[in-house]
Amino acid sequence: MAITESTNPPGILVAGCGKLGGAIASRLKHSATVFGLRRNPDRVPEGVQGIGADLTRPATLAGQLPDNLDIVIYCLTPSSYDQQGYQDAYVTGLENLLRELGEHSLKHLFFVSSTSVYAQDDDSWVDESSPVNPVRFSGGQILAGEQTALGSNHPATIIRFSGIYGPSRARFLEEVRQGRMNPQPPAPFSNRIHEEDAAEAAAHLVRLALSGAQLEPCYIASDCEPVRLDEVVDWVRQQTPCADPVPDARQGGRAGSKRCKNQRLLATGFQFRYPDFRAGYSAMISKH
């Protein structure tokens, strides 16, 4: 019996199997039985078992969870970008999922969070031990979700992603090309992570948890070079044809001015495919 149990693939639930969740699921499906939960289960990636449920409506979740779950990755995004939408996505949905799990004991719970929980606006460096005091309701609800995860009866890890970009998230690059970004130096510091690195960082931490490694309660997932926004825009303009800035072009960032340290993630052995914005945006520009 022990041999049989040890050879069974682990069971992983990606709760919120959308763009990022689906990319994480795709990286784990070859070595685990992966379930993707979303309102429309037909839209989970190939090789992932779809579960149709709405985490904000507990009745749709009843009896839907598999019995053999080792890992849950909670990766919801708001259906509306107001206080209720954020509360539903980051707090209520997680509470409902934990309630449905009941007495089932997970090896690990991962909560996908954001560096927006940091309110620092003085160009300072932040790491996982830095104070979190979000000034916006969105960051406040995300922080409440973090606390819900850490307060559950499961070993839990928070992954705080900075701004995710990539081929399927090319809005910033298009805004620069269209002249809709014109930050004035010295612009605020910005932090980002390529979508491929974001998905792989989460999958990497899941693999570590399954191997029995001791994980920290929180990791910042951001690339290796925080950089002022005007420097990024100037560099893009040198790489690809861009329109002149329009009169109402956006001049600043939206997330304060801080520099995110990723040393704790790097210490786990994670290696970035796109360690800075040049590597990531060069790959995107070369395909257009």
Side-chain angles (χ1 to χ4, degrees):
M1 178 67 74
I3 294 176
T4 303
E5 289 178 351
S6 66
T7 55
N8 283 342
I12 299 174
L13 173 68
V14 180
C17 197
K19 191 180 293 186
L20 176 58
I24 297 169
S26 293
R27 282 163 169 75
L28 296 168
K29 67 184 182 183
H30 304 293
S31 56
T33 301
V34 181
F35 303 89
L37 187 154
R38 59 181 299 167
R39 291 187 182 94
N40 185 348
D42 295 335
R43 296 178 65 186
V44 302
E46 185 177 351
V48 175
Q49 299 185 36
I51 298 175
D54 181 345
L55 286 171
T56 67
R57 299 167 58 205
T60 69
L61 192 59
Q64 292 267 55
L65 298 184
D67 295 328
N68 61 332
L69 290 179
D70 298 291
I71 302 286
V72 167
I73 305 161
Y74 190 84
C75 189
L76 256 65
T77 53
S79 57
S80 62
Y81 293 95
D82 54 13
Q83 173 126 359
Q84 189 64 53
Y86 274 87
Q87 182 175 333
D88 286 347
Y90 289 99
V91 183
T92 306
L94 179 58
E95 291 173 341
N96 291 337
L97 180 61
L98 292 171
R99 194 175 300 114
E100 185 64 24
L101 282 168
E103 298 301 312
H104 180 81
S105 182
L106 299 172
K107 282 187 178 178
H108 218 89
L109 167 65
F110 291 89
F111 180 88
V112 170
S113 181
S114 164
T115 55
S116 66
V117 297
Y118 298 107
Q120 286 81 343
D121 195 23
D122 57 359
D123 299 348
S124 58
W125 286 95
V126 298
D127 62 17
E128 293 83 357
S129 65
S130 299
V132 286
N133 186 25
V135 294
R136 298 181 182 178
F137 69 81
S138 53
Q141 293 301 325
I142 295 171
L143 182 60
E146 288 190 1
Q147 294 164 345
T148 300
L150 294 173
S152 71
N153 61 348
H154 307 283
T157 290
I158 309 303
I159 310 175
R160 291 176 179 157
F161 289 101
S162 61
I164 302 175
Y165 74 100
S168 73
R169 302 170 189 256
R171 180 180 174 184
F172 171 81
L173 184 58
E174 290 309 310
E175 285 187 337
V176 177
R177 283 172 160 157
Q178 295 166 10
R180 299 192 175 281
M181 287 292 302
N182 192 31
Q184 301 302 300
F189 274 98
S190 58
N191 303 269
R192 60 188 52 76
I193 184 169
H194 192 283
E195 58 190 1
E196 289 188 24
D197 284 326
E200 186 55 39
H204 169 76
L205 292 173
V206 169
R207 295 184 196 109
L208 287 176
L210 288 170
S211 74
Q214 287 293 113
L215 295 184
E216 297 284 354
C218 182
Y219 292 89
I220 287 177
S222 188
D223 75 17
C224 301
E225 188 181 343
V227 61
R228 293 194 184 277
L229 197 59
D230 59 296
E231 295 180 38
V232 183
V233 172
D234 287 346
W235 181 88
V236 171
R237 287 172 176 163
Q238 294 168 22
Q239 310 304 313
T240 187
C242 297
D244 292 334
V246 298
D248 60 345
R250 186 155 63 89
Q251 296 198 346
R254 297 188 175 117
S257 186
K258 57 186 178 287
R259 291 179 279 178
C260 293
K261 289 184 180 179
N262 64 7
Q263 272 74 11
R264 182 178 285 183
L265 177 62
L266 292 176
T268 68
F270 180 73
Q271 295 183 329
F272 282 85
R273 180 174 180 181
Y274 302 101
D276 57 46
F277 74 94
R278 297 175 199 85
Y281 285 122
S282 289
M284 293 168 65
I285 291 169
S286 67
K287 292 180 180 179
H288 285 271

